Amino acid sequence: MEIIKYTFDIHGDDRGQLVALEELKNVPFDVKRVYYMWDTVKGVRRGFHAHKELKQILICVHGSCKIHLDDGRETEEVLLNKANEGLYIEGLIWREMYDFSPDAVLMVLASEYYDEADYIRDYGEFREAVNNTKGS
Ligand code: T46
């Protein structure tokens, strides 16, 4: 599985750090939605789903967390711990987020508005969708 990580330019100076994210410039899609999660309870795993069409960039803007990725053939674990680093996820990828540090803030840029119909929340259904895609 190819892991696509973006490293965004930091506009740092003696006042501190700043990162700018611009759709179709350093973000490879139109950004329709931004959401973020924090105060994640110790030991919690989130996610447990894939998306049919959604493209996303996950940025741990503070603290750290790990992302489990599964494309139906292989799995990868990705550490996010830099405010200027984004993990790009598109296509049929099962994802779980875990090992959140107490101070972690995970921000996500998404290519579409929230749509429950785009989620595959059942792992068996996900595997079936992957197999159907391979066959087409
Ligand atoms: C993903 C991973 C990385 C909304 O109302 N609007 C939204 O935009 C989102 C993302 C969620 N919600 C509601 C739906 C649920 O009632 O917020 C609640 C928690 O969502 P969910 O359980 O889907 O959260 P995670 O952390 O399991 O997954 C989220 C995204 O949903 C998902 O697209 O790829 O983060």
Side-chain angles (χ1 to χ4, degrees):
M1 179 190 333
E2 190 191 3
I3 302 297
I4 303 175
K5 265 189 179 180
Y6 287 87
T7 302
F8 303 111
D9 289 342
I10 299 176
H11 304 278
D13 57 30
D14 54 10
R15 297 169 299 173
Q17 315 297 332
L18 185 153
V19 167
L21 304 170
E22 297 181 290
E23 65 179 18
L24 303 180
K25 289 192 172 177
N26 57 357
V27 175
F29 49 78
D30 289 316
V31 179
K32 292 229 176 66
R33 178 165 55 106
V34 177
Y35 61 92
Y36 45 92
M37 57 194 82
W38 75 101
D39 261 1
T40 306
V41 174
K42 192 171 160 47
V44 143
R45 260 177 116 92
R46 306 186 60 126
F48 296 95
H49 59 258
H51 280 283
K52 296 172 188 165
E53 302 292 341
L54 193 66
K55 297 175 181 141
Q56 299 194 110
I57 288 189
L58 281 62
I59 305 171
C60 197
V61 292
H62 196 260
S64 65
C65 66
K66 289 181 186 153
I67 315 294
H68 167 84
L69 300 173
D70 176 348
D71 67 0
R73 286 172 300 138
E74 50 183 340
T75 63
E76 295 275 356
E77 312 304 316
V78 179
L79 172 69
L80 292 180
N81 62 356
K82 295 187 181 77
N84 72 321
E85 191 172 79
L87 173 66
Y88 181 51
I89 307 180
E90 69 159 342
L92 276 175
I93 304 284
W94 185 266
R95 81 282 318 260
E96 295 167 22
M97 302 86 80
Y98 65 104
D99 263 9
F100 287 84
S101 62
D103 58 350
V105 181
L106 178 63
M107 182 179 81
V108 182
L109 311 185
S111 64
E112 302 297 335
Y113 297 117
Y114 178 71
D115 177 10
E116 189 56 39
D118 191 64
Y119 284 72
I120 302 176
R121 292 191 184 271
D122 178 80
Y123 190 74
E125 204 182 303
F126 160 70
R127 293 300 297 260
E128 207 173 301
V130 169
N131 288 337
N132 290 341
T133 308
K134 277 192 218 149
S136 62

